[in-house]
Amino acid sequence: MKQDLLKMIKEFHIIDKSIELFWKNFEKFKTNPECAEEYHRIFNEFNEKSFMLYLKAISYNLDAASMNSEESITVQIDMIYKENEIGYYEVYFNMKGERKDDYFVTYPFPVIENKNNKYYREDIENRLDNLMIQKQKKTWKDNKKFNFMKQDLLEFIEKFNIINRSMETFWEIFENYKTDPDYKEEFDEIFGEFDEKSFTVSMKEISYNLHSVSEDSYEYINLYIQMVYKGEQIGRYKPIFDMKGEWEDDYFVTYTVNTKNRVWQLTD
């Protein structure tokens, strides 16, 4: 799958397009009156030299575990300001390399970047010259050329029983979350008197991910499982697997008034 995804990224200049779209969104975020308070909270007196971008992941996504599922490519770019993560930009492309949607997201509080992380992200701006993306005039007219990515990902999911394992673990974690005294206040804030019939869990996305545009890029598979309570999305669960189907990590995230990210729709 790695070769196929890298080929598509190069053919459609996905990284170049993503960075160009990011800067358009950032300029709108700077100048949009509706974002003025948030911009000032994050940057105050903006220091351009303290602002960096990092490539977090390039992903090939399916919205269901079937050959009829919708496919997309996403690029997530993290924003770092004064060594703190302050948000990210995520852009979706269809299988013809055309932008489908994007999100400019700011965090309600800064997250300190862990530079000791094994997969600490490379600086996009310093790495662009080394991407070796050929500026070819040829583009892929037939998106069937990439159908084998879908086949490979679905075979991986089935071979390692990814969905069933993920759902089983989700319910174990949720039961622990529901009964853990340390989370009682948060649970009550989100659910109140918990009504099991009003709580739904569904798989939103299956993704194959790369951390960089290179042959030796770290690769992994993850699921995006969303939690909805009384019609409102209240959190997500994201299990991560290596390419041998082994459990690598997972994230159980709930949205509260204090922790919910702010999503800005800035692209026309």
Side-chain angles (χ1 to χ4, degrees):
M1 282 187 283
K2 181 184 288 188
Q3 291 289 339
D4 306 331
L5 182 53
L6 289 175
K7 182 178 180 181
M8 186 174 180
I9 290 164
K10 292 178 182 179
E11 290 292 341
F12 293 130
H13 314 305
I14 295 295
I15 301 297
D16 288 349
K17 288 179 181 178
S18 300
I19 294 173
E20 183 179 343
L21 286 165
F22 166 80
W23 285 115
K24 287 180 179 178
N25 274 264
F26 185 71
E27 286 303 313
K28 289 181 179 180
F29 180 65
K30 278 172 64 176
T31 56
N32 189 329
E34 294 181 4
C35 305
E37 183 178 348
E38 180 77 348
Y39 180 85
H40 182 74
R41 178 187 69 81
I42 296 171
F43 296 108
N44 197 4
E45 294 293 328
F46 181 60
N47 181 351
E48 187 175 349
K49 293 181 180 179
S50 299
F51 186 54
M52 293 185 293
L53 304 179
Y54 289 90
L55 179 64
K56 182 172 185 179
I58 308 156
S59 307
Y60 167 70
N61 315 293
L62 301 179
D63 68 352
S66 75
M67 284 302 292
N68 296 322
S69 59
E70 184 175 339
E71 304 168 277
S72 64
I73 302 293
T74 57
V75 175
Q76 182 171 326
I77 297 172
D78 276 2
M79 296 182 283
I80 312 294
Y81 189 63
K82 295 182 178 178
E83 299 187 350
N84 291 322
E85 292 188 28
I86 50 98
Y88 65 89
Y89 172 68
E90 186 170 48
V91 55
Y92 284 73
F93 297 92
N94 64 21
M95 298 306 285
K96 295 179 181 179
E98 300 165 337
R99 174 196 161 276
K100 287 177 59 181
D101 206 351
D102 60 357
Y103 303 95
F104 190 95
V105 180
T106 54
Y107 298 146
F109 47 80
V111 180
I112 297 175
E113 176 70 6
N114 180 10
K115 296 188 177 182
N116 295 319
N117 189 299
K118 180 179 178 182
Y119 304 113
Y120 184 64
R121 298 178 284 283
E122 303 169 57
D123 182 38
I124 289 180
E125 303 296 350
N126 292 337
R127 191 170 49 76
L128 276 177
D129 293 337
N130 300 320
L131 289 180
M132 299 179 67
I133 298 177
Q134 300 297 320
K135 300 294 184 182
Q136 301 173 2
K137 293 183 179 179
K138 177 183 176 183
T139 57
W140 291 103
K141 300 294 184 182
D142 183 3
N143 70 337
K144 291 181 180 179
K145 292 177 183 291
F146 298 104
N147 275 353
F148 39 76
M149 278 201 291
K150 180 184 285 189
Q151 186 77 36
D152 289 346
L153 182 52
L154 290 175
E155 287 177 0
F156 180 97
I157 295 295
E158 183 177 1
K159 178 180 178 180
F160 295 109
N161 197 24
I162 297 296
I163 294 176
N164 287 339
R165 289 164 61 195
S166 299
M167 293 305 294
E168 286 174 7
T169 305
F170 166 80
W171 286 112
E172 289 176 8
I173 292 174
F174 183 76
E175 286 303 314
N176 290 335
Y177 171 69
K178 194 165 68 168
T179 56
D180 191 327
D182 290 341
Y183 292 101
K184 185 181 187 310
E185 184 177 344
E186 180 182 302
F187 186 87
D188 290 345
E189 178 189 336
I190 296 171
F191 295 101
E193 290 294 327
F194 181 57
D195 178 10
E196 188 174 346
K197 293 180 180 179
S198 300
F199 184 52
T200 58
V201 177
S202 60
M203 186 182 68
K204 185 177 181 181
E205 212 165 59
I206 307 166
S207 301
Y208 165 73
N209 309 274
L210 298 177
H211 265 189
S212 67
V213 187
S214 66
E215 295 292 337
D216 60 351
S217 172
Y218 167 62
E219 51 187 337
Y220 61 96
I221 304 291
N222 74 262
L223 266 61
Y224 186 126
I225 296 171
Q226 68 177 4
M227 296 179 278
V228 175
Y229 188 63
K230 295 184 177 179
E232 182 178 350
Q233 188 172 341
I234 52 89
R236 66 183 185 274
Y237 175 59
K238 183 178 176 181
I240 298 172
F241 301 85
D242 66 18
M243 299 310 292
K244 295 179 181 178
E246 296 176 354
W247 201 277
E248 195 163 271
D249 206 348
D250 62 354
Y251 302 92
F252 182 92
V253 180
T254 54
Y255 308 143
T256 68
V257 172
N258 295 324
T259 63
K260 191 171 184 178
N261 296 334
R262 298 171 185 182
V263 181
W264 307 89
Q265 295 272 194
L266 299 170
T267 304
D268 298 329

